[in-house]
């Protein structure tokens, strides 16, 4: 393997990485799909007992490496290994230990365990970094239990008041029938820290996140590493159509106000509009009332998830959908339906920091230099835009941030069979190590640290 | 009013009809929508306590007119007023007292109360009919509580074994958490009769059903009476589409197997196909899994209700839908989805008996002769095909059958505001009387009765 001239040739231990990853997945494992003990998915919902247990296990591992632990008022866990200058803010490797109810063993978990492996590698070689380097576990990234995604990095970055996060209630009632708030559950599992959850109280020098791609691109193109340059803009809407419920057998087609038919037309059109702009559009939920085989629904609601790397094109897609939907509502089935758009969430496009992108590029180039050239153009890494939301989107508002993607089998994520090969996990962790060490050197060179 | 030469000029009492109709609606009234006491809908689900109460009330009314009551093993109630020949099967006026959970005051109820009003009119004038004349309340016509529509006339006609009907469970659990069978509920409310539910044990000479149109045609054309010549063929399907669940932000459009999108395309196409054949097609239910804003659904199920007066055209519509859906499944989103059709129910077209149609035509012509000519062509009745299913479809397999429609405000039915004006209810009841008396005369003339 080629080495960069300016960072030491440290290598992560890939078997230790995978052993620890699967050990951590003993907490909250669920949904077996094969005979091997690691052939299960995960159900480690934020702040449940399994999440409490894995947090305690993780802290123990980090403490054994000499890390200092800080827990903030959102339960975010910062484990920091001191550098030569231990007063400047640390460079953090962050991701999440919580999963979807039918989640897998890699989403979030890989980033957390790769971060731990990087710290272990530094510890084993007694490497003295210029500044401090650590890992952070962001609470309830998935938004699967408490329905605000990346809620705790949002609070840290100042995008969301902590009171709004604290009072967020779990989606599904607990076994005792109650629906508890994040605050109640933080207190219950003992992870309500005293430290304010804020970029000012707990500053970060730079944030690096290793994550599975959760899409098919790297696998399809037979590449190993995605160097993420930013995140797509995305907006969620609920579109509400009101027509009239009438009998399927007695209402002539021309006399109908069929809300389901209007919704179907809109979904088909929205798909064409997104494709024409190289954007993404998805309807994941359609609900109707009354919902009977032989009765037209008077009301149909459907969700729209619209995404594009450019805020401008994103706005164009939305605008065209609004115009086209209005036209469909006006003429549908000859008697028309009413139409209402409700915006559920809006996130502008994110651009990661060029310094972070550069050190990841260098580390990716280095790490993949000696591997077989499997892709068509021979390059094993590529620039990518993150389609999914991540805690790194929030950190990027407050500190230089970068992300590294690894291939994901069949592009599948949020499902028990989610998979990233051990080889690919190791490559990702190695790139993470390389990027963090380069960034550590860089900030020393830039005079951002106090010389001792 | 002109009178037919061959039937007596008996007139129903329209205020008594409406008073009794609303009195019967005290049992199970629900969903008030206005300030007047009759401005409510109904929630008289089959075999619930309100249904038990209205049955007892109805039987009392019929017995006070000298009717003989027979209850069969499906809880069908036959109330028969003896004619000169009381041994031949009776001519029956049939409909249903059960309603949808958010039903109105006319669907089924009008037919039952008009039948009672006809018997009262005969009783008041001490009219001696040639053969016996009666009313029948068919149990659970709506299929709203026990999900087989017209289940008890189906058993009577031999289309459904009684065991299949008896074991049918209620859709929604009872307040105690149990889901009871029809048999259990028949026994509980005391309407499990000893008489076999069969056209052989309880033969009917002819079946006449007065019913609201449940569609907008009579109102739109400003006519008063529909002379129903038969019923549409209809089939219900569940279409199951399987694709792949993947992330809305990370899955390129070309890499998707989006089951919702495929379903939307199929629904839009099915609508075009039905219109091209002057048929009816409706999707009333769409369900998807997992049902999340930012995840494509791996599975989408939707219902198709297809109707046409001709069995042949009906088959063409189904065939074109099958071909078109297969093409959509094969090419959708470039990676395709799988497609499965499940047939839920199939009913061939029904043709009513010419003798019944003729006596209804004569009665309609008579009853409307002196009314203002509101329609474009001056005719106040028209031949119609029933779009909805009715108990008369089953009786038509075993005895001459006919139906009479009355206008329905805005074509709305199965909703609390369902409405047929008092004037139109009375016209319908008058036509029912005229048709039944003509049929009674007819069968005597045809020598079907024993002379005394
Ligand atoms: Zn994640
Ligand atoms: Zn009915």
């Amino acid at each position: 393997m080629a080495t960069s001239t300016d960072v030491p040739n440290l290598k992560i231990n890939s078997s230790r990485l995978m052993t620890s990853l699967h050990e951590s997945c003993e907490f909250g494992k669920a949904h077996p799909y094969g005979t091997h003990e690691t052939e299960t998915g995960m159900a480690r919902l934020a702040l449940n007992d399994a999440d409490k247990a894995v947090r305690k296990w993780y802290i123990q591992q980090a403490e054994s490496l000499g890390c200092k632990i800080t827990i903030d008022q959102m339960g975010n866990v910062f484990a920091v290994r001191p550098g030569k200058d231990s007063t400047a803010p640390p460079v953090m490797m962050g991701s999440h230990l919580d999963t979807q109810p039918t989640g897998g063993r890699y989403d979030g978990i890989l980033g957390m365990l790769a971060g731990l492996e990087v710290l272990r590698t530094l510890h084993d070689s007694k490497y003295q970094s210029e500044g401090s380097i650590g890992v952070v576990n962001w609470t309830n990234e998935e938004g699967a239990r408490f329905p605000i995604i990346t809620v705790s990095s949002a609070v840290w970055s100042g995008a969301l008041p902590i009171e709004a996060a604290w009072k967020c209630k779990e989606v599904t009632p607990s076994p005792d029938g109650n629906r508890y708030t994040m605050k109640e559950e933080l207190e219950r599992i003992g992870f309500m820290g005293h430290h304010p959850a804020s970029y000012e109280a707990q500053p970060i020098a730079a944030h690096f996140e290793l994550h599975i791609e959760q899409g098919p691109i790297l696998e399809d193109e037979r590449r190993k590493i995605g160097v993420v340059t930013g995140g797509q803009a995305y907006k969620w809407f609920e579109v509400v159509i009101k027509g009239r419920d009438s009998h399927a057998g007695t209402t002539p087609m021309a006399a109908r106000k069929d809300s389901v038919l209007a919704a179907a037309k809109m979904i088909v059109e929205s798909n064409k509009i997104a494709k024409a702009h190289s954007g993404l559009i998805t309807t994941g939920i359609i609900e109707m009332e009354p919902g009977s085989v032989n009765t037209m629904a008077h009301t149909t609601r459907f969700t729209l998830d619209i995404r594009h790397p450019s805020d401008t094109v994103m706005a164009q897609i939305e605008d065209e959908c609004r115009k086209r939907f209005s036209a469909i509502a006006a003429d549908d089935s000859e008697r028309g339906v009413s139409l209402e758009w409700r915006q559920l969430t809006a996130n502008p496009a994110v651009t990661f920091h060029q310094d972070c992108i550069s050190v990841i590029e260098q580390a990716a180039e280095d790490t993949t230099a000696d591997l077989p050239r499997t892709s068509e153009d021979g390059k094993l890494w590529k620039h990518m835009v993150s389609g999914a939301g991540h805690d790194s989107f929030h950190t990027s508002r407050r500190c230089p941030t970068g992300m590294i993607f690894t291939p994901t089998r069949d592009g599948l994520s949020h499902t028990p069979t989610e998979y990233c090969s051990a080889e690919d996990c190791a490559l990702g962790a190695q790139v993470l190590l390389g990027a963090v060490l380069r960034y550590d050197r860089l900030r020393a060179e830039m005079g951002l640290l106090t010389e001792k």
Side-chain angles (χ1 to χ4, degrees), chain A:
Chain A
M1 183 184 286
T3 43
S4 162
T5 49
D6 61 352
V7 287
N9 184 17
L10 294 181
K11 288 205 67 182
I12 62 107
N13 179 334
S14 63
S15 77
R16 180 173 60 186
L17 168 63
M18 296 318 288
T19 304
S20 281
L21 183 141
H22 291 304
E23 188 182 346
S24 78
C25 288
E26 288 299 301
F27 305 102
K29 76 175 170 180
H31 320 300
Y33 60 86
T35 50
H36 192 271
E37 58 178 3
T38 67
E39 288 177 333
T40 81
M42 296 294 294
R44 193 161 67 203
L45 285 110
L47 309 184
N48 72 4
D49 292 342
D51 189 28
K52 173 183 179 177
V54 76
R55 285 162 171 263
K56 287 189 173 289
W57 175 87
Y58 193 94
I59 288 170
Q60 222 169 27
Q61 303 299 316
E63 281 178 334
S64 75
L65 305 173
C67 289
K68 185 175 166 286
I69 308 295
T70 306
I71 299 170
D72 73 17
Q73 292 180 321
M74 286 304 297
N76 296 319
V77 178
F78 300 80
V80 176
R81 180 173 183 271
K84 294 176 193 165
D85 174 355
S86 63
T87 56
V91 168
M92 296 301 278
M93 300 170 284
S95 202
H96 58 98
L97 288 167
D98 71 319
T99 77
Q100 292 282 327
T102 53
R105 291 179 165 241
Y106 300 90
D107 177 355
I109 301 170
L110 174 61
M112 291 303 298
L113 273 293
L116 186 64
E117 176 54 35
V118 166
L119 294 182
R120 284 171 171 168
T121 304
L122 300 182
H123 182 73
D124 286 356
S125 68
K126 300 188 172 58
Y127 184 77
Q128 279 213 293
S129 55
E130 302 297 331
S132 302
I133 294 174
V135 287
V136 50
N137 173 40
W138 300 105
T139 299
N140 191 55
E141 190 271 351
E142 294 288 2
R145 182 175 181 199
F146 303 98
I148 306 176
I149 67 167
T150 63
V151 59
S152 303
S153 54
V155 171
W156 176 88
S157 75
L160 185 75
I162 195 164
E163 289 73 23
W166 273 348
K167 76 179 180 199
C168 183
K169 280 191 177 175
E170 55 186 336
V171 171
T172 311
S174 280
D176 67 4
N178 293 319
R179 285 175 58 224
Y180 293 104
T181 63
M182 279 200 83
K183 188 170 188 220
E184 287 166 333
E185 284 296 276
L186 280 167
E187 282 163 350
R188 183 185 70 83
I189 71 163
F191 274 85
M192 171 60 84
H194 299 295
H195 218 75
S198 140
Y199 67 96
E200 286 165 318
Q202 186 67 30
I204 296 178
H207 187 264
F208 289 89
E209 183 167 8
L210 173 67
H211 205 281
I212 56 172
E213 177 198 341
Q214 302 180 277
I217 297 171
L218 289 174
E219 185 184 64
D220 280 0
E221 301 182 3
R222 285 176 291 173
R223 304 186 201 269
K224 292 301 186 184
I225 295 289
V227 178
V228 186
T229 56
Q232 295 184 101
Y234 68 98
K235 280 190 176 183
W236 291 359
F237 296 97
E238 183 181 61
V239 178
V240 184
I241 302 167
K242 298 209 172 177
R244 196 171 60 185
D245 52 334
S246 48
H247 194 292
T250 59
T251 314
M253 298 302 261
R256 297 181 172 202
K257 294 167 172 260
D258 184 346
S259 64
V260 167
L261 177 63
K265 289 178 180 177
M266 292 173 193
I267 292 165
V268 171
E269 287 301 306
S270 73
N271 182 266
K272 289 180 191 161
I273 292 166
K275 278 180 177 161
H277 288 91
S278 303
L280 300 177
I281 210 157
T282 307
T283 293
I285 303 174
I286 313 176
E287 290 170 339
M288 63 233 46
E289 291 168 36
S292 159
V293 177
N294 60 344
T295 308
M296 267 141 272
H298 56 75
T299 305
T300 299
R301 289 180 208 86
F302 66 92
T303 58
L304 271 186
D305 173 314
I306 313 181
R307 307 203 185 210
H308 198 279
S310 148
D311 289 320
T312 315
V313 183
M314 172 80 199
Q316 283 169 358
I317 295 173
E318 181 189 336
D319 188 53
E320 281 186 37
C321 284
R322 284 182 182 270
K323 283 187 184 134
R324 199 67 204 95
F325 288 12
S326 293
I328 290 168
D331 94 335
D332 179 69
S333 302
E334 286 78 4
R335 296 227 178 152
V337 293
S338 78
L339 171 66
E340 189 193 336
W341 286 67
R342 293 178 189 160
Q343 183 171 303
L344 303 177
T345 182
N347 297 73
V350 168
T351 307
F352 287 148
H353 198 283
Q354 189 51 53
D355 288 348
C356 295
I357 296 170
S358 295
V359 295
I360 295 171
E361 285 170 358
Q362 291 162 30
E365 190 62 43
D366 237 35
T367 304
T368 60
D370 296 338
L371 296 180
R373 307 281 101 184
T374 44
S375 72
E376 259 180 32
D377 63 9
K379 262 189 91 169
L380 295 184
W381 63 268
K382 76 174 292 189
H383 287 135
M384 298 181 76
V385 172
S386 173
H390 294 287
D391 292 308
S392 288
F393 290 19
H394 287 299
T395 64
S396 75
R397 295 181 61 213
R398 300 300 176 186
C399 68
T401 294
M403 286 190 77
I404 304 157
F405 277 171
T406 59
T408 314
R409 185 173 63 189
D410 293 334
L412 293 181
S413 174
H414 290 187
T415 185
T417 56
E418 172 186 279
Y419 185 73
C420 175
S421 73
E423 181 207 7
D424 290 343
C425 288
L427 286 173
Q430 187 63 41
V431 173
L432 180 64
L433 171 63
V436 164
L437 291 184
R438 277 174 178 81
Y439 196 90
D440 178 60
R441 228 9 108 73
L442 183 67
R443 65 171 178 156
E445 285 163 9
M446 288 167 74
L448 298 172
L449 299 173
T450 314
E451 306 221 11
K452 295 229 168 156

